[in-house]
Amino acid sequence: TGATSGIGLATAKMAAEAGARVVLAARNRGALDDAVRGIAGGGGEALGVAADVARREVEVPAPGGRLQVRGRRLPFSQVGAG
């Protein structure tokens, strides 16, 4: 799944509850916005990126890589698309 349901959303929520800033990626913008609002409503910090990782032109950071987000570093990534 993407970050809007199932394991992807559960992982993002757990990470945010532990104090991580999370970046969520999914195809459905409405569901993505709902997920980001849900995390923010629980006191977490989340950024939603509408993307289809099955498309070649979408760049996804490699596991263990670093992504610059709003001038901050993201030291961990989890990709779970099925």
Side-chain angles (χ1 to χ4, degrees):
T1 67
T4 58
S5 65
I7 293 169
L9 181 57
T11 302
K13 285 181 177 179
M14 287 175 32
E17 288 169 2
R21 297 179 189 109
V22 297
V23 179
L24 309 175
R27 293 176 293 183
N28 183 317
R29 183 81 229 182
L32 185 60
D33 290 342
D34 289 344
V36 169
R37 277 192 296 272
I39 289 171
E45 185 176 342
L47 171 67
V49 178
D52 182 352
V53 297
R55 299 181 60 137
R56 289 181 177 242
E57 63 271 14
V58 175
E59 292 186 22
V60 178
R66 294 185 183 269
L67 172 69
Q68 288 294 116
V69 179
R70 296 183 184 169
R72 300 180 184 139
R73 296 182 83 138
L74 182 69
F76 171 81
S77 66
Q78 174 190 341
V79 179

